[in-house]
Amino acid sequence: MSQKVHCYFDYLVSEAKELTEDQISMLIWETIIGTSDTTLVTTEWAMYELAKDKTRQVVCFSIVFVVYPIMDTLSPD
């Protein structure tokens, strides 16, 4: 390999002699889907934890209210 590899895509391109275009595309999509899935699961876990803890719900609501004061018609209940 003559060029320095800086990222995952550079690595895939450097291995292009051994990988087909479809394989490269599939590997890139697997990475995108995997990171999206991780974000989804983490968000679901955070929402579950908030649902169990009334004190944290109030704190979270207070923080959101500071950023979006228009939400004054909502309450944490």
Side-chain angles (χ1 to χ4, degrees):
M1 178 170 24
S2 60
Q3 292 183 335
K4 188 174 181 179
V5 175
H6 296 285
C7 66
Y8 184 60
F9 181 75
D10 287 342
Y11 172 76
L12 292 177
V13 170
S14 73
E15 298 295 316
K17 295 175 221 140
E18 299 173 20
L19 299 171
T20 67
E21 187 174 326
D22 286 340
Q23 289 172 320
I24 291 173
S25 177
M26 181 181 64
L27 290 168
I28 291 171
W29 275 112
E30 284 178 352
T31 303
I32 292 169
I33 291 167
T35 55
S36 298
D37 184 56
T38 301
T39 303
L40 173 69
V41 169
T42 302
T43 304
E44 286 177 339
W45 169 80
M47 296 302 291
Y48 170 75
E49 291 297 322
L50 276 174
K52 295 189 326 181
D53 189 338
K54 185 73 168 175
T55 304
R56 287 194 176 126
Q57 288 177 22
V58 172
V59 171
C60 184
F61 179 81
S62 300
I63 293 168
V64 170
F65 184 75
V66 168
V67 176
Y68 297 103
I70 191 119
M71 295 177 62
D72 60 357
T73 58
L74 299 176
S75 72
D77 298 325

